[in-house]
Amino acid sequence: MSTGLRERKKAATRQALHDAAVRLATEHGVENLTVEAIADAATVSRRTFSNYFASKEQALLHQDRALTARLVELFRTRPAGESLMTALLRAAEQLATEYAPDPAREERYRALRLDPALLPELVAVYAAAERGFAEAVRERLPDGPDGPLRAHVLAATLLAALRVVGQAALERGERNAVDLLRQAISITREGFG
């Protein structure tokens, strides 16, 4: 039971650091944001910050990393008999029901996420998600000599659709990202047909 409490406290600290980073970056700009300021705003030490994040960019994009990791986790738990697309859509639907965005926070995050200084970290977030998706997709594919390549190509395609949908949802303030994902997958199927 204490492990559960410890994990909840860690998650709360991680979220507090993320929230402080987003708020401060929105107020002062990413370029003026420091790790010390984030730690102070979250009322933790610089060392505590370093236990959770390697950089201010990681703290700023924690939400992206957490949501993509959760999506991979949900995808992995889908029944083996589901197609890749069905499993992805059902996992996305489940994530959408779990994640209740705060409109004010989302507005701050939307503007911040477009900052070019965050691009390298955003690429790293999606690269990690792609590796996770590739492993999960590989588990669903029949054995064959092209299995690893097929898994990586399919994972990259899924992640590209997710990235484009996520960006479109942020830019437009779109509330139903799952419908956008369905549309993107349909476009992908037609485009490669």
Side-chain angles (χ1 to χ4, degrees), residues 117-178:
L118 295 178
L119 187 58
E121 183 60 28
L122 198 54
V123 169
V125 166
Y126 279 99
E130 186 176 312
R131 284 189 300 276
F133 260 120
E135 291 170 12
V137 167
R138 180 72 181 107
E139 293 166 5
R140 291 176 165 273
L141 295 176
D143 288 335
D146 69 342
L149 178 61
R150 181 179 298 271
H152 277 91
V153 168
L154 291 171
T157 302
L158 294 174
L159 251 297
L162 286 169
R163 183 185 53 75
V164 169
V165 163
Q167 192 63 40
L170 277 173
E171 288 172 0
R172 295 188 228 159
E174 185 73 39
R175 289 310 252 182
N176 198 340
V178 177

Side-chain angles (χ1 to χ4, degrees), residues 12-186:
T13 300
R14 189 173 282 111
Q15 188 63 46
L17 287 165
H18 168 69
D19 290 343
V22 169
R23 183 176 50 76
L24 291 170
T26 303
E27 292 170 3
H28 306 290
V30 174
E31 64 283 350
N32 297 318
L33 182 65
T34 65
V35 168
E36 291 78 12
I38 298 168
D40 288 348
T43 64
V44 299
S45 69
R46 166 77 165 80
R47 182 178 173 152
T48 298
F49 176 94
S50 297
N51 289 336
Y52 288 90
F53 299 109
S55 66
K56 68 181 183 181
E57 292 82 7
Q58 277 189 2
L60 285 166
L61 292 175
H62 166 66
Q63 178 176 308
D64 279 72
R65 188 173 297 275
L67 289 175
T68 56
R70 179 66 179 144
L71 185 61
V72 170
E73 181 183 326
L74 292 169
F75 178 80
R76 276 203 152 110
T77 64
R78 298 301 311 161
E82 286 182 346
S83 72
L84 292 174
M85 294 303 173
T86 299
L88 175 64
L89 288 170
R90 298 265 164 76
E93 288 167 352
Q94 187 174 346
L95 182 64
T97 62
E98 290 178 4
Y99 177 68
D102 170 8
R105 195 166 110 212
E106 288 298 305
E107 185 58 37
R108 287 191 306 268
Y109 195 63
R110 179 180 302 125
L112 175 70
R113 198 170 173 274
L114 299 174
D115 191 302
L118 295 178
L119 187 58
E121 183 60 28
L122 198 54
V123 169
V125 166
Y126 279 99
E130 186 176 312
R131 284 189 300 276
F133 260 120
E135 291 170 12
V137 167
R138 180 72 181 107
E139 293 166 5
R140 291 176 165 273
L141 295 176
D143 288 335
D146 69 342
L149 178 61
R150 181 179 298 271
H152 277 91
V153 168
L154 291 171
T157 302
L158 294 174
L159 251 297
L162 286 169
R163 183 185 53 75
V164 169
V165 163
Q167 192 63 40
L170 277 173
E171 288 172 0
R172 295 188 228 159
E174 185 73 39
R175 289 310 252 182
N176 198 340
V178 177
D179 283 344
L180 280 178
L181 183 56
R182 278 191 186 89
Q183 185 180 358
I185 288 172
S186 177

